[in-house]
Amino acid sequence: MWAMSPWLTDRPIDVGQLLSDAASAGAGGTVVFLGTVRRSAEDGAIEAIEYSAYDEMAEAEFERIVAEATARWPQARVALRHRIGLVPLGEASVVIVTAAPHRAEAYAASRFLIEETKRRAPIWKKERFLSGQSRWVEGQQGGG
Amino acid sequence: MWAMSPWLTDRPIDVGQLLSDAASAGAGGTVVFLGTVRRSAEDGAIEAIEYSAYDEMAEAEFERIVAEATARWPQARVALRHRIGLVPLGEASVVIVTAAPHRAEAYAASRFLIEETKRRAPIWKKERFLSGQSRWVEGQQGGG
Amino acid sequence: MTGPAGAAGADAIRVRIRLFASYAEAAGRDELDLVLSAGATAADALAAVRGQPWASRLPPSPAVAVNRRYAKGEIALREGDEVAIIPPVAGG
Amino acid sequence: MTGPAGAAGADAIRVRIRLFASYAEAAGRDELDLVLSAGATAADALAAVRGQPWASRLPPSPAVAVNRRYAKGEIALREGDEVAIIPPVAGG
């Protein structure tokens, strides 16, 4: 259902496509950020994470976050996609591409976009363990 | 001739391969930096850039730079490749992948690696213009 | 309270409340309609939701969005507004 | 001066100088061998290179690498060392 959305998808994120979307002849530095479902000692044996979203608001919030980034870094080109649904260990839940004439802008815009995504995007995750148990991940107070 | 080198290649850089090289189950944040040959107003109509290196020292210097990065960010995994020879407009001359449990380390290690590469790697470039002319790019004083 | 949102009376507005993630799980539903007095604010809608038995699950000041944008409690609601109670977010 | 580096005399060492990019272009070659007094430093090697006609192209203090590592001028050279004069770098 999200296949046509610019921001959300229920399929593995196509990094090559996002790189193409952000490419331009004027880009000298391109930064790709991938957030990946990881195994960690404190969390135990995670099998996958299930992401859910307030879809319509997430789309609107991504529009706003990207508009803010391009207002701050006018020469940057941006592509962003967040995955929804069950994301297996090792696969990306979010991919952000920023391309700019100079690398400093590409890094700064990338960092801004992931921090704002984590702070504001109305998206939640539930860890699913090999044991069959599951648990909502405690997030941060959302806010614009 | 560089196909087997971990650091230098005379072919288009395979980003997917570098992502695999740096991947680990513990990585929550992965940053990819791509330095790309760009068109810029001040430089005019660049067709390609020709990179040349002091190959043996470049390999040694990349070893040292990566060792410094992994000493500073012990949880980061790193993959880096620099292209040598003629690189057409829009293609990557360098790709750096850093993967770490948390994104702050991945961003910091990425930035360190590209700054040190630009400061220290004994690599030079000559711009080739559509007019047929060419010009050495004025770089920065190398130093360890 | 959960039927389609028809027109409310002259002195009342009807708004749609949306719940997500752990809040929806606690409530056993992901939306409900509320009839509020004209001039009611987002904070008033939240207070009405607190009347529901599952709502002890809500923190003292949950984030709220009105019409898909984060909003402060004092924002005035209008007929047909969508008010979402946003659990702590964990995207990325 | 550019033949294979044989053993130098007891009081002399032979080192290989390597040139790159614009320096190699100016010199019309990318390496040459130098015979220096025993105890010579990287700075001495550089001074000897400055005797060559193309060397007006060199800046006052070019970066130097000895055996594939950046080095200061005072580093003492040994028989067979590789001394590179490094133009301003422009990788990445």
Side-chain angles (χ1 to χ4, degrees), chain A residues 33 35 51-57 60-61 64 82 93-94 114 117-126 136-144, chain C residues 16 18-26 31 57 59 61-71 82-92:
Chain A
F33 175 79
Y51 286 83
S52 58
Y54 178 5
D55 294 358
E56 309 93 312
M57 179 171 162
E61 201 66 22
R64 289 188 282 264
H82 202 296
S93 55
V94 62
I114 184 60
T117 293
K118 289 190 170 269
R119 196 170 75 79
R120 295 160 54 180
I123 297 177
W124 301 278
K125 58 187 180 191
K126 196 172 206 173
W136 287 105
V137 175
E138 192 55 39
Q140 47 187 318
Q141 168 88 1
Chain C
R16 167 72 48 100
R18 295 192 63 180
L19 304 172
F20 298 93
S22 57
Y23 298 173
E25 210 168 75
E31 54 184 40
R57 172 74 182 73
S61 302
V64 168
V66 175
N67 298 334
R68 304 167 186 181
R69 187 189 280 270
Y70 288 106
E82 179 172 291
V83 180
I85 310 179
I86 309 283
V89 299

Side-chain angles (χ1 to χ4, degrees), chain B residues 51 54 56-57 61 64 82 93-94 118-126 136-144, chain D residues 18 20-22 25 57 59 61-65 67-70 82-92:
Chain B
Y51 285 83
Y54 179 4
E56 310 93 312
M57 178 171 162
E61 201 65 24
R64 289 188 281 265
H82 201 296
S93 54
V94 62
K118 288 188 172 271
R119 196 169 74 80
R120 294 159 56 180
I123 297 177
W124 303 277
K125 59 188 180 191
K126 196 171 206 173
W136 289 104
V137 175
E138 192 55 40
Q140 46 187 319
Q141 168 88 359
Chain D
R18 295 192 63 180
F20 298 93
S22 58
E25 211 169 75
R57 172 74 182 73
S61 303
V64 168
N67 297 333
R68 305 168 185 182
R69 186 188 280 271
Y70 288 107
E82 180 172 293
V83 180
I85 309 178
I86 309 283
V89 300

Side-chain angles (χ1 to χ4, degrees), chain B residues 77-89:
Chain B
R77 288 173 60 94
V78 168
L80 177 157
R81 197 150 296 152
H82 201 296
R83 190 163 165 190
I84 299 296
L86 211 60
V87 182
L89 192 73

Side-chain angles (χ1 to χ4, degrees), chain D:
Chain D
M1 265 176 92
T2 55
D11 294 339
I13 57 172
R14 189 180 295 257
V15 299
R16 167 72 49 100
I17 305 295
R18 295 192 63 180
L19 304 172
F20 298 93
S22 58
Y23 298 173
E25 211 169 75
R29 64 205 299 179
D30 56 15
E31 55 184 38
L32 56 131
D33 288 348
L34 284 185
V35 176
L36 301 170
S37 309
T41 62
D44 295 329
L46 193 59
V49 170
R50 286 198 192 277
Q52 306 226 338
W54 60 271
S56 60
R57 172 74 182 73
L58 294 177
S61 303
V64 168
V66 175
N67 297 333
R68 305 168 185 182
R69 186 188 280 271
Y70 288 107
K72 296 194 185 301
E74 58 263 34
I75 192 175
L77 299 179
R78 288 186 290 197
E79 173 70 24
D81 277 354
E82 180 172 293
V83 180
I85 309 178
I86 309 283
V89 300

Side-chain angles (χ1 to χ4, degrees), chain A residues 62-119:
Chain A
F62 283 131
E63 292 275 1
R64 289 188 282 264
I65 292 170
V66 167
E68 289 166 25
T70 50
R72 251 174 105 164
W73 296 281
Q75 298 195 90
R77 289 174 60 93
V78 168
L80 178 157
R81 197 149 296 151
H82 202 296
R83 189 162 165 190
I84 300 297
L86 211 61
V87 182
L89 191 73
E91 295 191 13
S93 55
V94 62
V95 177
I96 295 169
V97 179
T98 53
H102 301 289
R103 65 187 179 282
E105 306 162 80
Y107 276 106
S110 178
R111 197 68 197 269
F112 173 85
L113 287 162
I114 184 60
E115 299 304 332
E116 293 302 296
T117 293
K118 289 190 170 269
R119 196 170 75 79

Side-chain angles (χ1 to χ4, degrees), chain B residues 1-2 7 10 28 34 46 56 70 85 92 114 123-124 135 138:
Chain B
M1 67 179 281
W2 290 292
W7 310 114
D10 54 7
L34 301 96
I46 287 181
E56 310 93 312
T70 50
I114 184 60
I123 297 177
W124 303 277
R135 178 175 71 187
E138 192 55 40

Side-chain angles (χ1 to χ4, degrees), chain B:
Chain B
M1 67 179 281
W2 290 292
M4 301 304 295
S5 155
W7 310 114
L8 301 178
T9 181
D10 54 7
R11 303 291 176 77
I13 300 172
D14 182 346
V15 179
Q17 179 63 52
L18 293 180
L19 275 169
S20 303
D21 291 351
S24 84
T30 301
V31 173
V32 184
F33 176 79
L34 301 96
T36 308
V37 174
R38 74 186 177 99
R39 178 176 293 139
S40 71
E42 65 267 30
D43 292 337
I46 287 181
E47 187 179 11
I49 290 186
E50 186 162 12
Y51 285 83
S52 59
Y54 179 4
D55 293 358
E56 310 93 312
M57 178 171 162
E59 307 259 356
E61 201 65 24
F62 282 131
E63 292 275 2
R64 289 188 281 265
I65 292 170
V66 167
E68 289 167 24
T70 50
R72 249 173 105 163
W73 296 281
Q75 298 194 91
R77 288 173 60 94
V78 168
L80 177 157
R81 197 150 296 152
H82 201 296
R83 190 163 165 190
I84 299 296
L86 211 60
V87 182
L89 192 73
E91 295 191 14
S93 54
V94 62
V95 177
I96 295 169
V97 179
T98 54
H102 302 288
R103 66 187 178 282
E105 304 162 83
Y107 276 105
S110 178
R111 196 70 197 267
F112 173 84
L113 288 162
I114 184 60
E115 298 305 331
E116 292 303 295
T117 293
K118 288 188 172 271
R119 196 169 74 80
R120 294 159 56 180
I123 297 177
W124 303 277
K125 59 188 180 191
K126 196 171 206 173
E127 294 171 327
R128 297 202 175 274
F129 297 93
L130 292 171
S131 64
Q133 294 185 295
S134 66
R135 178 175 71 187
W136 289 104
V137 175
E138 192 55 40
Q140 46 187 319
Q141 168 88 359

